[in-house]
Amino acid sequence: MSREFKALLVEQPEKKVFTRSIVTRSVADLPEGELLVKVHYSSLNFKDALSAVGNPGVTRNFPHTPGIDAAGEVIECSDGSFQPGEKVIVTSYDLGMETDGGFGQMIRVPSQWALPLPEGLSLKESMMLGTAGLTAALSVQELVDNGVKPEDGPVLVTGATGGVGSLSLAILAKAGYQVTAVTGKLEETAYLEGLGAERVISRETLMQGSERPMLKPTWAGVVDCVGGEMLSTAIKSTRNWGVVTCCGLVGSPELPVNVFPFILRGVRLIGIDSAECPAAPRVKVWQKLATEWKLDNLASMVDEVTLDGLEEKIQKMLKGGLKRRALVNLLES
Ligand SMILES: NC(=O)c1ccc[n+]([C@@H]2O[C@H](COP(=O)([O-])OP(=O)(O)OC[C@H]3O[C@@H](n4cnc5c(N)ncnc54)[C@H](OP(=O)(O)O)[C@@H]3O)[C@@H](O)[C@H]2O)c1
């Protein structure tokens, strides 16, 4: 096996400017770890876009290969947890942050970061889902575990055309929930309806009256990917004993809300952290994504690119203008 491979490398040649290029790297340059994996597919997440432009909240040490997602086959495993040739998914923990990630054809990681690919999913399908799918599934699982049932009323998904949003919408629809999708791209209404949205509304429609302390109780549950005013508006319009999950900050990291929804309606706000999520819930939701929540329309939710096509997707994602998740094919890069 060749010990050289292609990777996207982010560098900071002069102290301020970050550059991105496709280079040949060597396995010897990879960090320590028990597990060496030949990456077949990865996918682009918001954190990757931030890492690629040198955001210090994600990555501080350069040169660096981003990519918080990777799926591929085991080449070597020094502690015997996996056999050569076994198919694995590696997401989150420190992958792609300070540890060279899935935008390279090889990764070396601690073996406990990997999961065996669940039966029923291909490596390609697992990365069509990626961390966005894991996060969406963890969010939906929180609604289920906290008693939100399909017959309780509509569930709101914010940032609906985004990775986490579109997958949350599709999983909720598959699980029988009536989903209202809120989007800044109303021209994508037909796409969102195709994923299972019963209603598609604009950000402005959702935000009407958002300055008021409480709003009409509407949502049985909310999967929020945006944060800020949109999350606070969603909380204020959640029904009694409704459940709101919070995973993202594309709108804002602030949460300008009062206590009324919590003390007068018993609304529950639940944080989602896929990166450090313990193994048991992680395995449970991947299993569901391979079976009862397996999505037939996954291929329509992604655009496949090689490493060369990533730059354009990164720039669009940073501007909130990416329309489909980017699946990264490392085999053909
Ligand atoms: N906590 C975790 O474990 C975890 C895991 C994965 C991701 N995340 C976070 O979740 C968020 C979404 O990630 P993603 O990968 O789905 O990103 P994404 O694909 O870029 O999607 C974000 C979507 O949010 C909407 N949006 C963008 N800018 C906005 C703004 N200023 N105001 C309101 N809506 C805006 C857009 O959808 P519309 O145009 O349809 O509104 C956009 O497509 C990010 O903050 C990410 O860091 C967290």
Side-chain angles (χ1 to χ4, degrees):
M1 188 209 64
S2 164
R3 305 300 277 187
E4 295 202 322
F5 63 92
K6 271 194 186 172
L8 174 74
L9 194 67
V10 184
E11 294 175 279
Q12 194 183 18
E14 292 154 33
K15 270 295 160 206
K16 295 177 261 171
V17 190
F18 287 89
T19 60
R20 289 169 294 284
S21 51
I22 313 299
V23 301
T24 301
R25 299 194 73 187
S26 163
V27 167
D29 300 336
L30 290 175
E32 294 289 296
E34 300 87 30
L35 190 66
L36 181 66
V37 177
K38 177 179 175 186
V39 181
H40 290 205
Y41 292 96
S42 179
S43 74
L44 177 66
N45 295 278
F46 195 68
K47 251 187 196 170
D48 303 320
L50 295 177
S51 173
V53 294
N55 186 306
V58 183
T59 305
R60 287 189 177 271
N61 296 303
F62 296 89
H64 172 66
T65 294
I68 64 170
D69 284 341
E73 67 182 290
V74 172
I75 300 296
E76 298 163 4
C77 182
S78 62
D79 68 1
S81 330
F82 295 95
Q83 296 306 311
E86 216 175 322
K87 292 176 176 166
V88 290
I89 301 175
V90 187
T91 66
S92 333
Y93 300 104
D94 191 51
L95 186 70
M97 297 182 68
E98 299 294 357
T99 303
D100 288 314
F103 297 165
Q105 291 169 322
M106 292 281 195
I107 54 169
R108 188 157 51 202
V109 293
S111 57
Q112 76 266 25
W113 291 5
L115 296 177
L117 181 74
E119 211 171 300
L121 276 186
S122 65
L123 288 172
K124 188 171 184 174
E125 286 170 330
S126 76
M127 287 297 103
M128 289 176 175
L129 293 160
T131 288
L134 171 65
T135 308
L138 289 169
S139 306
V140 176
Q141 189 63 47
E142 287 292 352
L143 299 195
V144 172
D145 289 346
N146 286 285
V148 179
K149 298 188 192 64
E151 60 272 23
D152 291 344
V155 172
L156 180 75
V157 175
T158 65
T161 64
V164 181
S166 59
L167 286 160
S168 300
L169 155 55
I171 295 167
L172 284 162
K174 175 103 188 176
Y177 290 88
Q178 315 152 42
V179 186
T180 296
V182 57
T183 181
K185 308 183 190 83
L186 275 184
E187 68 278 11
E188 291 289 312
T189 296
Y191 170 64
L192 294 170
E193 286 172 347
L195 297 183
E198 204 176 73
R199 246 181 103 206
V200 178
I201 60 173
S202 67
R203 294 180 194 165
E204 293 71 27
T205 301
L206 179 79
M207 301 297 286
Q208 273 164 17
S210 63
E211 66 290 349
R212 298 211 293 272
M214 292 275 267
L215 294 162
K216 185 177 159 206
T218 308
W219 318 113
V222 177
V223 173
D224 177 70
C225 309
V226 171
E229 296 277 354
M230 196 168 285
L231 173 56
S232 66
T233 304
I235 292 170
K236 289 190 231 175
S237 49
T238 295
R239 294 182 183 187
N240 288 56
W241 288 89
V243 177
V244 180
T245 64
C246 154
C247 73
L249 44 55
V250 283
S252 165
E254 302 302 326
L255 181 53
V257 73
N258 58 58
V259 298
F260 295 127
F262 306 109
I263 63 173
L264 298 180
R265 290 188 185 150
V267 169
R268 286 156 296 160
L269 176 62
I270 296 179
I272 303 294
D273 169 24
S274 62
E276 295 294 330
C277 170
R282 190 186 285 266
V283 170
K284 177 177 175 175
V285 297
W286 272 113
Q287 209 56 50
K288 280 191 153 183
L289 287 166
T291 52
E292 64 189 276
W293 289 348
K294 177 146 189 193
L295 301 172
D296 317 318
N297 44 5
L298 263 183
S300 71
M301 300 171 74
V302 298
D303 272 339
E304 187 170 326
V305 292
T306 56
L307 286 175
D308 293 325
L310 258 177
E311 179 65 20
E312 185 200 341
K313 300 289 182 190
I314 289 168
Q315 295 307 332
K316 280 199 175 145
M317 180 169 252
L318 289 170
K319 293 184 188 115
L322 197 64
K323 289 193 178 165
R324 303 285 179 271
R325 259 173 74 62
L327 171 75
V328 189
N329 185 332
L330 280 302
L331 291 174
E332 290 175 13
S333 287

